Amino acid sequence: MIEETFPGPTRPWWWQVYTLIRNPSYISKCLQKYGDPFYLMLEPKTPFLIFTDPTAAREIFTAHYNDVFAGPVSESLRPILGRESLLLIDGDKHLNMRRFMTPAFTGNAMRVYGSVIRDTTRKNTELWAKDSHVFIQGVMQNISLEVILQAVFGLKEGDRFQKYKQVLVDYISVFNGKNAIFLYSSAFQKDLGIFTPWGKYLKMVKVVDGLIYEEIKLRKKKPNQQDIFSRLLAIRDENGNGLSEKVLRDQLLTLLLAGHETTASALAWAFYWIHRDPQILDTLSCELQPFCNNFDIESITKLPYLDAVCRETLRLYPVIPAVGRLLQRPMSIMGHTLPAKTNVVLSIYLMHHRPDLYPESHLFRPKRFIEREYNSYEYIPFGGGARRCLGIHFAFYEMKIVLAYILLHFQLKLRSNKPISAVRRGVTFLPGGGVPMVIEKKIHQ
Ligand code: HEM
């Protein structure tokens, strides 16, 4: 029994979940009190063993994919994403689906999305005027939603684009509401009518499904475009069979949801941190200066300081604070022999604040990524192993292009000097208050 072998809080599971949502620093207090590893009860009678050490990350991420499954953290997403979602399938089925989907997220494909990202950023900022006020979180959400709609569905401005956008905004807002974390717990996934969060959510699912199935039918008549949808439609197994409509629907929804809020929150954090410290803004502006008359996407996305700023942003407040796995056989992790069916969790947040790896971890210091190379078990904002985020290149690409475009065209300032703290929305950590900023100057080019 995990609870008998390892230390952890004895309060009821719902109290632990509630405290973790309301106060993200609770996890740091647990580490201080219990040491590494400790357990938390995040579901009734279900202990989750939390690790924060790179050795544990290596042992978990390099385990055979049949020995570590996605587990209950992902399982709670099943009614939201569908049982065929890449995030939820395991073993050979997962490996095959990943092989099919990976080409949509590599080199050449990325170049097509680059101009979509630049044009969407331009469109979302062209009306910004001197002295006007903006909430950066909201702007970034709009940009990332429009980018993902274009990259995944190939939708351009027009009626279908607007219809999709509205339905998805409504859908996302249901499970990104203040208390929506409860929607992710199977204990609360009960349809008790339209006035309960889950009942409201199920109604929205029907609307979203209707739209996606309609789009699948339309697309089958018009394949071969350069978006992710077309790539998924073109997939054939060794017998020449394509993906079923259900599988397609679940992957499309997964990409829309996994790729939207995460990148938007990361960007909002980046704007906040860059504008907290004039020296960081200066260094970054100098690096971007040669591109003020020539927005060369390929060169910009290779700039070392911009890269370090994006990495440091995802280190300090990783938008997904933890990843979990369910052991399928007994395994030794950091010398502890754990039985099959143990839920192990890597706290990305706690790993990224280890003083031995990241001195003065509370400070935003992009240079640490220039002074030292971190391996994929020490720096894990995208998880790792066979399940590492499929959108990692897409996310970095988008962050860099949006940041560079806005910093080259506008001078922004935070409206308040007060520090912002992290709040939880859905499964992501985002900056509280929406990051209010003012446009100080428009730089004409
Ligand atoms: C800053 C932005 C992002 C962050 C921090 C992030 C983080 C993560 C994390 C932590 C995981 C779980 C990995 C694991 O269990 O080891 C994940 C999985 C995933 N992400 Fe992302 N993600 C981001 C953006 C994106 C984008 C833009 C897309 C797609 C367009 C995407 C698609 C996916 C998919 C499909 C998975 C499931 C992979 C699998 O199970 O094989 N993500 N992401």
Side-chain angles (χ1 to χ4, degrees):
M1 286 280 277
I2 296 299
E3 307 93 293
E4 284 157 17
T5 317
F6 297 95
T10 49
R11 301 276 199 133
W13 73 272
W14 51 265
W15 185 93
Q16 296 184 36
V17 174
Y18 186 78
T19 311
L20 203 58
I21 301 161
R22 292 283 150 200
N23 176 11
S25 67
Y26 174 59
I27 192 119
S28 308
K29 292 194 184 115
C30 287
L31 177 66
Q32 260 172 18
K33 187 164 175 190
Y34 305 113
D36 179 0
F38 62 94
Y39 76 85
L40 286 176
M41 286 286 189
L42 302 177
E43 297 253 333
K45 298 189 190 125
T46 315
F48 289 75
L49 195 56
I50 319 279
F51 290 91
T52 72
D53 195 295
T55 308
R58 184 171 353 94
E59 287 167 344
I60 293 168
F61 289 154
T62 56
H64 191 274
Y65 61 86
N66 277 326
D67 295 338
V68 282
F69 279 11
V73 179
S74 306
E75 187 62 25
S76 61
L77 295 167
R78 184 180 293 260
I80 297 168
L81 301 174
R83 64 172 189 277
E84 298 295 335
S85 162
L86 186 68
L87 271 158
L88 302 174
I89 52 180
D90 289 298
D92 291 334
K93 193 173 175 184
H94 174 261
L95 189 76
N96 286 335
M97 185 55 67
R98 244 189 107 100
R99 279 201 187 124
F100 282 143
M101 291 174 74
T102 300
F105 293 93
T106 46
N108 278 344
M110 223 37 76
R111 273 187 268 285
V112 177
Y113 313 138
S115 46
V116 168
I117 298 167
R118 179 203 53 210
D119 296 346
T120 308
T121 312
R122 179 190 293 136
K123 195 197 93 186
N124 274 272
T125 54
E126 64 195 356
L127 294 179
W128 281 7
K130 184 175 174 331
D131 296 331
S132 57
H133 290 187
V134 287
F135 283 95
I136 283 291
Q137 175 75 33
V139 179
M140 293 307 124
Q141 265 169 313
N142 207 46
I143 292 178
S144 74
L145 181 57
E146 291 191 356
V147 164
I148 207 84
L149 278 178
Q150 291 177 74
V152 174
F153 289 98
L155 292 176
K156 304 260 156 53
E157 271 306 320
D159 290 349
R160 260 174 58 241
F161 181 85
Q162 288 308 334
K163 188 168 149 194
Y164 258 85
K165 202 173 146 188
Q166 195 47 54
V167 167
L168 283 170
V169 167
D170 292 348
Y171 177 73
I172 290 164
S173 67
V174 177
F175 64 91
N176 272 345
K178 233 177 169 188
N179 292 315
I181 192 74
F182 289 112
L183 293 179
Y184 294 90
S185 168
S186 52
F188 290 93
Q189 292 177 346
K190 307 231 172 353
D191 184 8
L192 301 173
I194 181 71
F195 296 110
T196 59
W198 193 246
K200 201 169 151 192
Y201 172 72
L202 288 180
K203 189 170 168 252
M204 281 307 304
V205 170
K206 282 201 183 118
V207 179
V208 171
D209 280 2
L211 209 63
I212 295 190
Y213 285 126
E214 183 186 304
E215 189 68 27
I216 292 176
K217 290 206 170 60
L218 271 176
R219 275 319 195 75
K220 282 192 171 162
K221 294 183 196 147
K222 215 172 60 168
N224 300 330
Q225 295 177 36
Q226 283 202 311
D227 49 57
I228 297 171
F229 201 145
S230 297
R231 288 169 193 272
L232 294 180
L233 272 177
I235 292 171
R236 292 286 174 272
D237 65 15
E238 62 276 16
N239 302 318
N241 299 318
L243 301 180
S244 73
E245 291 200 350
K246 164 75 180 142
V247 172
L248 261 173
R249 176 263 183 212
D250 291 356
Q251 307 316 348
L252 289 169
L253 207 52
T254 300
L255 293 175
L256 282 174
L257 298 182
H260 159 53
E261 187 81 13
T262 44
T263 320
S265 300
L267 273 163
W269 277 119
F271 276 100
Y272 168 69
W273 291 118
I274 291 167
H275 290 87
R276 288 275 297 170
D277 184 337
Q279 235 182 336
I280 290 175
L281 180 60
D282 259 16
T283 314
L284 189 53
S285 302
C286 282
E287 191 184 59
L288 289 170
Q289 204 45 40
F291 301 95
C292 67
N293 290 316
N294 168 27
F295 197 82
D296 173 0
I297 292 177
E298 278 318 295
S299 308
I300 287 174
T301 50
K302 293 193 181 89
L303 293 173
Y305 194 71
L306 179 60
D307 184 69
V309 163
C310 295
R311 284 176 194 277
E312 179 69 342
T313 299
L314 290 168
R315 179 197 68 80
L316 217 157
Y317 271 120
V319 283
I320 309 261
V323 287
R325 300 288 189 266
L326 177 63
L327 304 189
Q328 298 303 300
R329 62 164 184 86
M331 256 179 80
S332 167
I333 300 180
M334 296 206 40
H336 304 285
T337 305
L338 305 174
K341 303 296 165 211
T342 303
N343 284 297
V344 292
V345 172
L346 283 164
S347 169
I348 303 177
Y349 177 81
L350 292 176
M351 164 104 60
H352 287 183
H353 286 270
R354 287 178 66 96
D356 55 338
L357 291 174
Y358 303 101
E360 299 186 294
S361 72
H362 60 290
L363 296 181
F364 186 76
R365 247 185 20 91
K367 273 211 164 129
R368 65 177 96 236
F369 284 93
I370 290 172
E371 289 159 1
R372 177 181 164 172
E373 215 169 288
Y374 291 91
N375 67 36
S376 47
Y377 310 116
E378 295 168 333
Y379 179 69
I380 56 167
F382 295 95
R387 309 200 78 100
R388 190 174 80 153
C389 173
L390 197 65
I392 178 169
H393 302 303
F394 193 106
F396 272 127
Y397 216 60
E398 182 167 351
M399 283 180 78
K400 290 174 184 179
I401 296 171
V402 174
L403 281 171
Y405 186 89
I406 293 182
L407 294 177
L408 279 168
H409 290 82
F410 299 93
Q411 196 172 301
L412 300 173
K413 197 179 150 198
L414 289 169
R415 260 162 54 200
S416 157
N417 287 329
K418 279 199 199 133
I420 283 182
S421 47
V423 292
R424 172 89 74 149
R425 198 154 92 182
V427 284
T428 61
F429 259 159
L430 52 89
V435 193
M437 299 192 83
V438 59
I439 319 292
E440 283 204 310
K441 197 164 141 194
K442 208 167 166 170
I443 307 163
H444 292 283
Q445 283 147 26

